[in-house]
């Protein structure tokens, strides 16, 4: 990686490239870097830096544009609600978008896109939260009236399959308080429980492949 060892990042895929956003570097410094991995050429490059150094960012892609919607900053894990957008095909730099409403700022949320809206479930704000909110890129507005998670979660993972958001595992506020529950969100229908993971864990990697949520690694 061009910026060296990096952890507590956010990642998103756009046009055959993987964008690794923010995080801690090898000396525990918080970074502004955007590192880009080209899956076709197996090469790395750097994108425009974020407006500020963040870690545990909430990131999604809609229509080729990457959105950062809230994050943590400083080594004190202070939650911020700043919103930024960048289209790698057309933009030279990040631009500001609507911030998360006051009191809903958080990082380490589970993020998925349903019907063009970015859904953020749970996250970390002084502890695990159950907040669920949605950002509409078309109108640059937030909806905070969505039903909350059945239990507070941070450092969980998830993805959208069949128009539903799945949340797997995560922490209940500390590294040791881990969960294996899997929750399913149906827009307009709320949350339901699905089969729990065989091994409870948080801080995992995950992604959707062929309508299956793949959960990799983790801690706890």
């Amino acid at each position: 990686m061009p910026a060296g060892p990096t952890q507590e990042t956010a990642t998103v895929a756009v046009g055959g490239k993987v964008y690794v956003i923010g995080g801690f570097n090898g000396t525990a410094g918080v970074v502004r870097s955007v590192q880009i991995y080209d899956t076709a050429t197996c090469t790395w490059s750097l994108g425009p830096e974020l407006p500020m150094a963040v870690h545990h960012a909430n990131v999604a892609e809609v229509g080729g544009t990457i959105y950062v919607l809230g994050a943590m900053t400083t080594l004190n894990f202070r939650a911020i609600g700043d919103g930024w957008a960048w289209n790698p095909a057309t933009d030279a730099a990040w631009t500001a978008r609507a911030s998360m409403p006051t009191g809903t700022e958080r990082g380490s949320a589970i993020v998925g896109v349903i019907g063009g809206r970015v859904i953020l479930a749970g996250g970390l704000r002084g502890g695990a939260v159950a907040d669920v909110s949605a950002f509409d890129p078309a109108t640059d507005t937030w909806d905070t009236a969505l039903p909350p998670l059945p239990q507070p979660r941070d450092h969980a993972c998830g993805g959208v399959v069949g128009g539903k958001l799945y949340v797997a595992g995560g922490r209940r506020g500390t590294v040791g308080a881990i969960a294996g529950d899997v929750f399913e969100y149906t827009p307009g229908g709320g949350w339901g429980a699905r089969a729990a993971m065989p091994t409870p864990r948080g801080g995992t990697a995950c992604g959707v492949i062929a309508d299956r949520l793949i959960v990799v690694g983790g801690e706890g």
Side-chain angles (χ1 to χ4, degrees):
M1 299 176 71
T6 317
Q7 65 181 42
E8 318 305 341
T9 65
T11 59
V12 66
V14 183
K17 296 180 180 180
V18 180
Y19 294 78
V20 182
I21 295 172
F24 297 140
N25 63 17
T27 59
V30 186
V31 300
R32 297 170 57 196
S33 60
V34 176
Q35 305 180 73
I36 308 168
Y37 177 68
D38 189 318
T39 61
T41 62
C42 195
T43 56
W44 286 91
S45 60
L46 289 170
E49 289 192 326
L50 297 166
M52 67 183 296
V54 298
H55 54 91
H56 293 87
N58 311 315
V59 176
E61 176 269 336
V62 182
T65 296
I66 300 171
Y67 295 89
V68 175
L69 303 168
M72 315 297 294
T73 188
T74 78
L75 296 181
N76 293 325
F77 283 61
R78 181 174 64 87
I80 62 172
D82 299 58
W84 308 309
W86 173 53
N87 187 316
T90 60
D91 299 340
W94 294 86
T95 57
R97 301 302 297 268
S99 295
M100 306 176 82
T102 301
T104 67
E105 305 92 337
R106 59 199 190 272
S108 192
I110 303 89
V111 183
V113 178
I114 302 176
R117 298 205 310 169
V118 183
I119 312 297
L120 292 87
L124 188 64
R125 183 178 63 248
V129 299
D131 302 16
V132 177
S133 49
F135 174 75
D136 188 334
T139 60
D140 197 29
T141 57
W142 284 90
D143 178 2
T144 60
L146 279 66
L149 278 166
Q151 298 175 12
R153 287 286 186 276
D154 64 83
H155 284 79
C157 77
V160 173
V161 179
K164 300 181 179 184
L165 176 64
Y166 293 86
V167 173
R171 304 176 186 167
R172 299 184 179 95
T174 66
V175 175
I178 58 170
D181 310 86
V182 174
F183 301 123
E184 175 190 80
Y185 172 68
T186 303
W191 292 92
R194 299 301 298 269
M197 293 197 298
T199 51
R201 47 200 151 135
T204 63
C206 70
V208 174
I209 302 175
D211 289 340
R212 301 175 72 200
L213 180 66
I214 313 298
V215 182
V216 182
E219 58 191 11

